[in-house]
Amino acid sequence: MTSPSKAATRYARASGWLRAHPLALDAVLALAVLVCMITGSFADTGGPDGPTFGTRSPELRSVVLMVVGAAALVLRRRRPMPVLAVTGAVTLVELIAGEPPAPVAMSAVIALYTVASRTDRPTTWRVGLLTMAVLTASAMCFSRTSWYSQENLGIFAWTGMASAAGDAVRSRRAFVDAIRERAERAERTRDEEARRRVAEERLRIARDLHDVVAHHIALVNVQAGVAAHVMDRRPDQAKEALAHVRAASRSALNELRATVGLLRQSGDPEAPTEPAPGLAVLDALVDTFRNAGLPVEVACSHEGTEMPAAVDLAAYRIIQEALTNVRKHAGPGARAEVSVVRVGPAVEVTVIDDGAGGEAAAGSESAGYGTAQAGGGHGLIGMRERAAALRGSCSAGPRFGGGFRVQAILPVTAGAGEDV
């Protein structure tokens, strides 16, 4: 005895094979229709004692017409209109010549359903009404019974139902296809949005890592050079420089740990809990540059301004990168000025210096701070990306009379950077 699971598996396999071979399915349907038509041709509905079976047999002409009509159904999906024309013609011949006619109209009903399910609604209405009118009128005019007999009305009803059923199937199929297309479009949109967010997060982390590494490694490099220079003559000053190296390296490690900690999974241990740096620790940042020998003056008038966390971090990173560039490129004896000013709905961050780096950058901004020189940096690009991500702007270039200027305008009003 076959188990239900095996029967279901066989049924699913057979259904899949038939869907993959529609011509075979239509051949099976045509054979079934032929059997039904031949069986129905032995029934006599017009006898004096009511419907009887086996009291009459179909003529050779009727058998040929039934075979032609059923054979045409094999191509009903590939050529729906020609198949309807062939089945309608053999049905019309049988209705006119048959006495009583064999049920050849069954093939025309199947063909009409196929046309309605595979064309548009206006075509279904035109073809359905024409087929219904021609076949019904022929049955009424050439029937041996009264024009309103059950057989004649049956042709009218079956052709009408075939058109309606085919149109309903076509509408259902179009509805399902629309839902499937909408779901696929939504899936593609979700994938694209996920890729965009991953790319944005990758760029943000790359900017943070660049800012942290460039700033602290530059300070470590300067202080290590100072320690090596004064090691023999001034050991106390060398110790102080090495202490600054240690502090800068520790700060770099802490910030790198915090940045890389953002990539941890939710269950990973020791996730960072310290907040991201901002303008609240600007003095500590400036002190690291002063300890490295870069005089920096600070002027701030943004006190009392509540900035979004993203804007606060971007302002801090822009100042950090700009001062790092001053220390690396402005040359000896350069001085820097930092200003943070609230201007209407935005905060303006400006870093200027009076060094020689601006002269080297004159004529080409790409030769200036933090951009491609010999090795190809990303300082200015990162600052611009930070500002653009917050719907702000960042400009950088040499100053008139020498030096370099970096200016960023970041929105701080409600909704600023809300897509970051």
Side-chain angles (χ1 to χ4, degrees):
M1 183 176 181
T2 305
S3 63
S5 59
K6 291 183 179 180
T9 302
R10 292 177 181 176
Y11 175 77
R13 189 179 305 163
S15 299
W17 187 88
L18 289 176
R19 283 194 296 268
H21 301 81
L23 194 64
L25 178 61
D26 289 339
V28 173
L29 175 64
L31 180 61
V33 170
L34 178 61
V35 171
C36 292
M37 288 190 297
I38 292 179
T39 302
S41 64
F42 285 92
D44 185 9
T45 59
D49 299 328
T52 58
F53 184 81
T55 57
R56 75 180 181 101
S57 59
E59 299 178 1
L60 178 60
R61 180 197 68 254
S62 299
V63 174
V64 171
L65 292 177
M66 286 186 286
V67 171
V68 172
L73 294 179
V74 177
L75 301 176
R76 70 186 185 93
R77 301 188 197 219
R78 296 185 178 182
R79 299 288 187 271
M81 284 296 187
V83 168
L84 177 61
V86 171
T87 56
V90 297
T91 301
L92 189 61
V93 170
E94 179 65 16
L95 290 175
I96 295 175
E99 187 60 37
V104 185
M106 185 180 296
S107 60
V109 170
I110 301 297
L112 181 58
Y113 164 83
T114 304
V115 170
S117 64
R118 294 185 170 271
T119 58
D120 52 23
R121 181 162 294 172
T123 302
T124 299
W125 275 95
R126 289 194 296 268
V127 175
L129 289 176
L130 178 62
T131 304
M132 184 189 310
V134 171
L135 296 184
T136 304
S138 300
M140 290 180 176
C141 293
F142 297 97
S143 175
R144 62 174 181 168
T145 60
S146 58
W147 65 270
Y148 54 86
S149 64
Q150 183 178 356
E151 294 82 358
N152 300 338
L153 296 179
I155 293 178
F156 175 82
W158 279 108
T159 52
M161 286 190 296
S163 300
D167 183 70
V169 170
R170 178 194 54 77
S171 300
R172 173 67 178 176
R173 188 183 298 127
F175 177 72
V176 172
D177 291 341
I179 292 178
R180 185 182 297 111
E181 181 183 0
R182 192 179 303 115
E184 292 175 353
R185 191 185 311 117
E187 185 67 23
R188 289 195 300 269
T189 303
R190 282 195 297 269
D191 292 342
E192 293 171 359
E193 179 67 14
R195 287 193 293 268
R196 184 185 69 83
R197 290 183 178 275
V198 169
E200 290 179 353
E201 186 65 14
R202 186 183 297 117
L203 288 175
R204 188 190 67 78
I205 294 175
R207 287 195 299 264
D208 286 344
L209 290 175
H210 172 270
D211 294 343
V212 171
V213 172
H215 164 59
H216 291 290
I217 296 303
L219 295 182
V220 168
N221 181 53
V222 171
Q223 296 292 352
V226 172
H229 181 68
V230 300
M231 179 67 71
D232 296 331
R233 294 176 299 171
R234 298 180 181 177
D236 55 340
Q237 189 173 355
K239 290 181 179 180
E240 182 181 354
L242 292 176
H244 289 313
V245 169
R246 183 179 180 184
S249 61
R250 184 187 301 112
S251 179
L253 289 175
N254 290 336
E255 292 201 35
L256 283 174
R257 187 179 299 111
T259 301
V260 176
L262 297 175
L263 302 178
R264 292 178 181 267
Q265 299 294 330
S266 58
D268 290 345
E270 298 181 2
T273 57
E274 60 273 14
L279 295 179
V281 294
L282 179 60
D283 293 338
L285 174 68
V286 171
D287 287 341
T288 61
F289 287 99
R290 289 171 179 164
N291 293 333
L294 175 64
V296 182
E297 295 182 5
V298 179
C300 296
S301 63
H302 70 288
E303 291 79 2
T305 300
E306 297 210 358
M307 292 186 291
V311 176
D312 194 24
L313 175 61
Y316 177 88
R317 293 301 188 194
I318 289 173
I319 295 173
Q320 182 185 51
E321 177 63 24
L323 290 178
T324 301
N325 290 334
V326 172
R327 188 66 188 85
K328 291 166 59 177
H329 303 293
R335 301 174 62 86
E337 296 181 8
V338 177
S339 67
V340 182
V341 182
R342 172 68 183 268
V343 181
V347 61
E348 181 181 293
V349 178
T350 306
V351 179
I352 61 175
D353 69 84
D354 56 0
E359 297 176 1
S364 176
E365 185 182 324
S366 64
Y369 304 156
T371 55
Q373 292 183 2
H378 301 84
L380 289 181
I381 296 176
M383 287 190 282
R384 290 195 181 102
E385 287 177 349
R386 286 186 182 277
L390 298 169
R391 301 179 184 175
S393 62
C394 180
S395 61
R399 298 171 59 203
F400 179 77
F404 207 79
R405 175 191 184 94
V406 175
Q407 184 180 45
I409 299 177
L410 307 175
V412 296
T413 55
E418 60 188 4
D419 60 342
V420 177

